[in-house]
Amino acid sequence: NTVLLASSIKVVELEKLFANIYKDINVAIANELALYCEKQGINVSEVIRFSNLIPGIRVLEPGIGVGGNCLPVDPYFYTSHCKELGIPAKLAQLSREINDSRPKYVAKKILELAKKKNAKTICLLGAAFRPNTHETAYSPAIAVYNEIAKELGGNVCVFDPVVGLVRLKKLGITSCNDSAGFDLK
């Protein structure tokens, strides 16, 4: 219940901006590490578990990208303003590129697995940008769905009881029916 006073609103706003850029960079490094581990046949979760035993290190788990109203947007406010000021913002820009590329990569991997398993229908679990929320703003899960739908048409759907059937329909997403049969979940 402590109240902290900043010297200005600019400090407070920049703190929020940098906190989101920091998260985006950390997700990007985890995603890049995951690609490397995949090519090397190494379990990325094991590498992360051991890395996180080192004091001061907190490597996040890789994912399908970042979502929400802030994380995928805030770095662009920063990089744009840096460009105006003539300051390089390479790390923030590169993190956006890495995380923005993840949904397409994940969709490709799912489609490869579907082909290998001779799966014709796929049920994706979750549409929100993080667990236990109905928020779908900039959700990489929706981008994964859209990539797969381009390839498979109506043979892909999403199950997300928190987001709900009505919201999924408004987003143009086919909802999975509990009784429907799926080849790949």
Side-chain angles (χ1 to χ4, degrees):
N1 295 334
T2 303
V3 175
L4 301 174
L5 297 176
S7 61
S8 71
I9 190 67
K10 286 184 177 183
V11 170
V12 175
E13 289 295 327
L14 193 55
E15 172 278 323
K16 176 67 173 163
L17 183 74
F18 265 63
N20 286 333
I21 292 169
Y22 179 85
K23 289 177 197 173
D24 196 41
I25 289 169
N26 281 283
V27 171
I29 193 83
N31 286 333
E32 195 169 86
L33 176 63
L35 290 173
Y36 179 81
C37 286
E38 180 184 337
K39 295 288 184 191
Q40 295 297 312
I42 299 169
N43 182 324
V44 70
S45 293
E46 185 178 12
V47 171
I48 290 170
R49 184 168 35 96
F50 282 109
S51 294
N52 287 340
L53 294 174
I54 300 168
I57 302 295
R58 176 70 178 104
V59 181
L60 301 175
E61 287 292 323
I64 63 173
V66 298
N69 286 307
C70 298
L71 242 60
V73 178
D74 283 358
Y76 291 119
F77 293 130
Y78 173 71
T79 57
S80 174
H81 197 226
C82 283
K83 188 175 183 179
E84 289 175 23
L85 297 172
I87 301 168
K90 296 175 186 176
L91 192 54
Q93 183 62 43
L94 185 57
S95 295
R96 282 289 66 238
E97 291 171 20
I98 291 168
N99 290 331
D100 283 346
S101 72
R102 289 298 286 178
K104 196 170 203 164
Y105 175 79
V106 169
K108 178 182 165 218
K109 298 302 277 184
I110 292 170
L111 288 167
E112 287 172 1
L113 181 61
K115 187 175 182 178
K116 182 178 174 183
K117 301 264 185 192
N118 200 29
K120 304 290 184 233
T121 56
I122 298 172
C123 176
L124 301 175
L125 305 177
F129 76 89
R130 69 175 181 224
N132 303 314
T133 182
H134 68 281
E135 183 56 59
T136 56
Y138 298 98
S139 174
I142 294 172
V144 170
Y145 169 85
N146 289 333
E147 286 293 323
I148 293 171
K150 278 188 228 172
E151 188 78 24
L152 297 180
N155 293 332
V156 61
C157 60
V158 172
F159 177 76
D160 193 326
V162 178
V163 170
L165 299 172
V166 173
R167 188 165 179 120
L168 288 174
K169 187 173 183 173
K170 283 182 182 177
L171 292 167
I173 295 173
T174 303
S175 175
C176 298
N177 177 330
D178 287 345
S179 64
F182 303 101
D183 299 317
L184 191 61
K185 293 182 188 176

